[in-house]
């Protein structure tokens, strides 16, 4: 029979709120700031008033840790499910302000109508209406007197029955005597088990990631500056997306504004670049993996809890060191020079827009590689070359697509053992051998996904090599991607549909070229035999129908840039299948040429 790894205990809401106020239960903001709208808070209070159940809360005890003086400190309970409900109660009954998803602190006022026994979100009309108590928190204030509240209400509402109002207000006050079940999980449970329990019990079906647990450990720590570190992670990610948010932090969070973190991220206010907008998960991965030489975030959670992996004990000294290292990793991540250099490296490899970025984890590991290269003292040019090549290799090979944590862990341990340059170059050479370019890549390009890594890298190759758009005389692929480009079908879609081809066939990436809109529109649905013949005429003094190229030499060069068989200009139009096969090989060779020049 399986051992029960949890206890379920009912507690009055009043006890729960006391625990939160005293810090016995930590609300770690796992689910980020308060996201409920006020009507959900109203519904929660109504359910309590009606005596309905409001679900279980899940708490997970932090392990007890051995302090430096040899004594033991028992761990706090961390609330891992129920944050929104508890925050709602703190706001509505105790008048505490909540932090919204826009990082503003606001009150949530719930009004109560004692005659109709109805809850409502407070608003200006309710506040002017004498039949409402506009803020329920006044009923729960420590010095509130039911007699006085009843008397004041009946003075304002002479028709109200005083005894009835008194009974109703007493019933409202008894809300805090309602019992809520707390499922307390054993402190030695593995994170995967806790995650599984959360998913099964959580009615919304939300899932928690390892990063959520790490953030909960960080936020719940007030000994080593955890909460300030949590804010640094959150605020940086927010500012990267919305630089205009800076004044709100400066005005609304004076403590953070005075910390060492804000000056180091203030540079984001002038940045409107979305090439790499990291989430808190990305930031934790990079900061942790680069500093701790480990890739599994569950290890970070254990270390922040004080776990000594050798003795299997929990020690305060381990937790203190983990917080110091994580802080160093976060400061490295948000450093303007480091962040700018990473995005510059990506751009220098041809990835000039966020539309060419598909794998956030490939960028994350590229950043880790960059930071490790700096830590090892590699020359800047060597770091840049290695990071460029590693990033392209990992995108082409889908290195971090399946189980990124395990691969991060494997790669960083090898880097720690063999050195970033030795290991990085060995992996690149093994993954991208000559047989990859000649055989495997053309096969992998047999796909109809325009967001496939192969087509994204092909476009980056065109940018890096300075290619012109299809049939363009002056407009480069870079210009098209940065402004507006059409993905044009060389063998037009409707032409192929007319022959009965399915979408998966006519949308093969080997049938795609980047072209100006007007060229794309000009070609329309004409079959290649027709428009290639007209292109040849255009270069022999005929009418300019497609773009501005007027010499056969320029036209052949343009086709080579777009990896199109030149024989098409000589009236040799291959069958669609033959064309795709030829073009995949040409595209793969272009990517190879590009990669060798990185």
């Amino acid at each position: 029979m399986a051992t029960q790894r949890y206890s379920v205990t009912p507690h009055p809401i009043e006890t729960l709120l006391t625990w939160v106020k005293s810090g016995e239960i930590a609300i770690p903001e796992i689910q980020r700031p308060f996201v409920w709208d006020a009507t959900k808070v109203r519904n929660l209070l109504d359910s309590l008033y009606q005596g309905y159940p409001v679900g279980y809360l899940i708490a997970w005890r932090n392990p007890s840790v051995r302090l430096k003086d040899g004594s033991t400190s028992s761990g706090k309970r961390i609330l891992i499910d129920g944050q929104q409900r508890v925050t709602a109660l703190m706001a509505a009954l105790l008048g505490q302000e909540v932090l919204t998803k826009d990082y503003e602190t606001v009150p949530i006022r719930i009004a109560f109508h004692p005659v109709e026994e109805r809850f409502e979100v407070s608003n200006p009309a309710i506040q002017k209406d004498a039949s409402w108590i506009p803020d329920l928190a006044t009923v729960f204030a420590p010095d509130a007197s039911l007699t006085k509240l009843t008397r004041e209400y009946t003075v304002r509402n002479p028709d109200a029955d005083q005894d009835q109002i008194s009974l109703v207000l007493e019933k409202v006050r008894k809300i805090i005597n309602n019992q809520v079940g707390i499922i307390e999980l054993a402190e030695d449970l593995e994170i995967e088990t806790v995650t599984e329990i959360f998913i099964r019990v959580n009615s919304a079906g939300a899932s928690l990631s390892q990063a959520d647990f790490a953030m909960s450990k960080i936020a719940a720590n007030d000994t080593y500056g955890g909460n300030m570190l949590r804010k640094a992670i959150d605020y940086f990610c927010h500012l990267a997306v919305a630089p205009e948010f800076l004044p709100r932090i400066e005005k609304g969070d004076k403590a953070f504004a005075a910390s060492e973190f804000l000056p180091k991220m203030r540079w984001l206010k002038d940045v409107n670049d979305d090439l790499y907008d990291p989430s808190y998960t990305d930031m934790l991965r990079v900061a942790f993996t680069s500093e701790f030489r480990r890739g599994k975030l569950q290890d970070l959670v254990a270390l922040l809890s004080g776990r000594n992996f050798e003795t299997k004990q929990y020690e305060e000294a381990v937790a203190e060191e983990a917080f110091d290292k994580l802080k160093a990793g976060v400061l490295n991540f948000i450093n303007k020079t480091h962040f700018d250099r990473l995005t510059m490296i990506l751009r220098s490899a041809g990835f000039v827009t966020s539309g060419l970025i598909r794998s956030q984890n490939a960028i994350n590991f590229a950043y880790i590689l960059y930071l490790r290269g700096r830590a090892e003292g590699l020359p800047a040019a060597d770091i840049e070359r290695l990071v460029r090549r590693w990033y392209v290799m990992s995108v082409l090979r889908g290195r971090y697509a399946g189980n990124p944590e395990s691969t991060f862990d494997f790669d960083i341990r090898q880097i720690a053992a063999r050195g970033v340059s030795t290991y990085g170059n060995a992996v690149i050479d093994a993954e991208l051998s000559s047989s990859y370019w000649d055989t495997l890549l053309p096969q992998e390009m047999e796909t109809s996904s325009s967001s496939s890594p192969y087509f994204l890298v092909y476009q980056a190759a065109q940018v890096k090599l300075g290619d012109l758009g299809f049939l363009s005389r002056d407009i480069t692929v870079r210009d098209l991607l940065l402004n507006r480009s059409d993905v044009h079908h060389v063998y037009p879609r409707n032409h192929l549909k007319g022959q009965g081809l399915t979408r998966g066939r006519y949308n093969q990436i080997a049938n795609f070229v980047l072209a100006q809109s007007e060229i794309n529109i000009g070609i329309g649905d004409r079959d290649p035999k027709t428009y290639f013949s007209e292109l040849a005429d255009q270069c022999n003094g005929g009418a300019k129908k497609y773009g501005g190229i007027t010499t056969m030499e320029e036209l052949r060069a343009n086709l080579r840039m777009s990896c199109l068989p030149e024989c098409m200009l000589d009236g040799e139009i291959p069958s669609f299948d033959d064309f795709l096969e030829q073009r995949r090989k040409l595209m793969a060779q272009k990517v190879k040429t590009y990669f060798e020049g990185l």
Side-chain angles (χ1 to χ4, degrees):
M1 185 176 156
T3 315
Q4 189 165 301
R5 312 301 301 283
Y6 63 91
S7 60
V8 183
T9 321
H11 292 283
I13 285 171
E14 185 173 23
T15 305
L16 190 66
L17 297 180
T18 304
W19 283 347
V20 174
K21 280 194 286 185
S22 68
E24 165 62 19
I25 277 192
I27 299 185
E29 301 185 55
I30 278 183
Q31 294 149 295
R32 327 306 322 123
F34 191 69
V35 294
W36 273 17
D37 61 36
T39 54
K40 284 188 90 167
V41 181
R42 176 202 67 197
N43 295 345
L44 175 68
L45 292 172
D46 188 56
S47 293
L48 289 168
Y49 185 72
Q50 306 291 348
Y52 299 157
V54 292
Y56 287 98
L57 306 178
I58 306 180
W60 185 23
R61 240 190 211 287
N62 261 340
S64 298
V65 295
R66 201 167 71 240
L67 302 176
K68 290 171 187 170
D69 63 5
S71 64
T72 300
S73 163
S74 63
K76 280 181 180 177
R77 293 181 179 94
I78 290 184
L79 196 63
I80 66 164
D81 187 24
Q83 179 203 334
Q84 301 290 310
R85 280 167 288 164
V86 172
T87 306
L89 292 171
M90 299 289 286
L93 305 185
L94 304 183
Q96 292 196 358
E97 293 192 321
V98 299
L99 185 73
T100 69
K101 61 179 183 294
D102 295 321
Y103 296 83
E104 290 180 296
T105 48
V106 298
I108 293 179
R109 295 201 173 91
I110 302 299
F112 181 66
H113 198 300
V115 177
E116 297 177 3
E117 298 183 57
R118 190 157 63 87
F119 296 88
E120 198 47 77
V121 179
S122 200
N123 60 42
I126 282 175
Q127 284 157 23
K128 289 177 192 160
D129 186 337
S131 64
W132 286 87
I133 294 173
D135 186 358
L136 204 57
T138 57
V139 179
F140 290 90
D143 56 352
S145 152
L146 272 185
T147 311
K148 188 180 173 199
L149 284 166
T150 304
R151 188 172 64 246
E152 287 174 349
Y153 185 82
T154 49
V155 166
R156 294 198 310 272
N157 299 274
D159 295 340
D161 179 327
Q162 189 162 342
D163 291 344
Q164 179 63 21
I165 297 299
S166 181
L167 285 169
V168 166
L169 290 181
E170 199 172 338
K171 186 180 172 188
V172 170
R173 276 273 277 268
K174 283 182 177 166
I175 281 177
I176 58 173
N177 298 335
N178 285 28
Q179 304 268 327
V180 176
I182 296 187
I183 300 172
E184 191 162 309
L185 305 179
E187 63 184 50
D188 58 346
L189 284 180
E190 293 294 327
I191 293 173
E192 285 82 356
T193 311
V194 177
T195 306
E196 181 67 19
I197 292 167
F198 176 91
I199 292 165
R200 289 185 183 207
V201 175
N202 187 297
S203 57
S207 61
L208 288 178
S209 66
Q210 305 289 354
D212 288 323
F213 282 113
M215 288 292 268
S216 78
K217 292 287 185 188
I218 296 164
N221 177 281
D222 42 28
T223 314
Y224 306 119
N227 195 38
M228 202 59 83
L229 190 59
R230 195 273 308 162
K231 285 181 177 179
I233 295 166
D234 259 347
Y235 284 156
F236 183 90
C237 296
H238 198 81
L239 283 170
V241 177
E244 67 279 5
F245 179 62
L246 181 66
R248 220 180 282 175
I249 300 175
E250 292 172 326
K251 188 176 162 199
D253 195 339
K254 301 284 190 210
F256 186 79
S259 75
E260 65 185 292
F261 294 106
L262 191 63
K264 292 182 168 69
M265 60 176 79
R266 196 171 262 119
W267 60 272
L268 283 169
K269 75 182 192 312
D270 304 316
V271 175
N272 282 307
D273 178 4
D274 66 349
L275 200 65
Y276 180 40
D277 283 338
S279 66
Y280 66 90
T281 306
D282 299 320
M283 198 164 167
L284 276 176
R285 274 200 198 293
V286 174
F288 168 63
T289 305
S290 59
E291 280 297 315
F292 290 73
R293 325 281 209 283
R294 291 171 176 268
K296 295 187 175 176
L297 284 176
Q298 70 188 66
D299 289 352
L300 173 60
V301 176
L303 289 161
L304 294 171
S305 303
R307 182 175 171 81
N308 181 326
F309 282 110
E310 286 171 17
T311 66
K312 307 285 191 287
Q313 301 297 308
Y314 288 89
E315 300 165 16
E316 189 188 26
V318 173
E320 184 176 11
E321 186 191 357
F323 273 95
D324 284 348
K325 282 173 85 168
L326 183 61
K327 179 182 171 184
V330 166
L331 287 171
N332 268 334
F333 186 102
I334 68 179
N335 178 290
K336 182 179 190 301
T337 303
H338 298 168
F339 200 88
D340 282 353
R341 200 60 50 87
L342 174 74
T343 52
M344 183 194 79
I345 290 168
L346 292 171
R347 277 207 177 76
S348 71
F351 295 89
V352 290
T353 75
S354 57
L356 295 180
I357 305 288
R358 200 179 77 154
S359 169
Q360 203 78 347
N361 274 323
I363 298 189
N364 292 340
F365 205 87
Y367 203 177
I368 292 162
L369 210 62
Y370 169 81
L371 293 170
R372 291 312 314 151
R374 278 186 71 103
E376 287 185 21
L378 256 63
D382 291 1
I383 296 175
E384 287 165 22
R385 181 169 188 268
L386 178 62
V387 172
R388 262 194 301 269
R389 287 159 55 83
W390 183 277
Y391 175 73
V392 173
M393 176 278 295
S394 58
V395 170
L396 283 173
R397 302 298 280 135
R399 190 170 186 83
Y400 304 109
N403 185 345
E405 281 222 324
S406 298
T407 316
F408 269 48
D409 195 58
F410 179 81
D411 283 340
I412 197 65
R413 288 173 189 271
Q414 291 295 314
I415 285 167
R418 297 169 59 185
V420 68
S421 186
T422 304
Y423 177 67
N425 288 315
V427 170
I428 290 166
D429 290 346
E431 289 286 331
L432 301 180
S433 63
S434 58
S435 66
Y436 174 76
W437 300 116
D438 298 339
T439 309
L440 191 56
L441 182 56
Q443 286 172 10
E444 287 180 326
M445 282 181 162
E446 192 170 335
T447 172
S448 60
S449 168
S450 60
S451 64
S452 87
Y454 318 111
F455 191 54
L456 298 176
V457 172
Y458 168 76
Q459 291 172 79
Q462 284 209 286
V463 170
K464 176 76 172 166
L465 296 169
D467 289 348
L468 294 164
F470 176 56
L471 303 184
S472 291
R473 206 189 69 175
D474 305 295
I475 307 289
T476 62
V477 169
R478 174 190 287 268
D479 295 330
L480 290 171
L481 287 169
L482 289 174
N483 295 291
R484 173 174 156 62
S485 63
D486 279 5
V487 173
H488 168 70
H489 293 70
V490 182
Y491 283 54
R493 181 173 44 196
N494 286 340
H495 166 68
L496 294 173
K497 274 168 97 173
Q499 296 177 17
L501 269 68
T502 61
R503 185 175 179 175
R505 297 285 299 122
Y506 60 71
N507 274 349
Q508 286 285 304
I509 63 169
N511 193 29
F512 291 156
V513 284
L514 291 179
Q516 294 167 243
S517 301
E518 55 271 31
I519 290 172
N520 191 5
I521 292 164
I523 291 171
D525 298 337
R526 290 176 179 79
D527 72 72
K529 198 178 189 82
T530 303
Y531 79 84
F532 270 92
S533 163
E534 290 172 334
L535 276 167
D537 290 345
Q538 183 172 312
C539 291
N540 288 315
K544 275 202 279 187
K545 289 190 173 182
Y546 313 112
I549 296 175
T550 52
T551 73
M552 197 55 94
E553 190 183 344
E554 258 187 288
L555 188 55
R556 288 185 185 277
N558 184 274
L559 293 196
R560 285 195 294 275
M561 287 180 194
S562 284
C563 300
L564 294 169
E566 289 180 59
C567 65
M568 295 175 82
L569 283 174
D570 306 321
E572 296 172 31
I573 307 296
S575 72
F576 185 55
D577 284 342
D578 287 348
F579 163 75
L580 292 177
E581 194 176 333
Q582 287 179 50
R583 185 149 189 260
R584 284 185 199 115
K585 288 177 181 169
L586 293 169
M587 289 168 79
Q589 286 308 305
K590 177 176 282 284
V591 174
K592 179 188 180 187
T593 303
Y594 148 79
F595 185 79
E596 287 170 347
L598 288 177

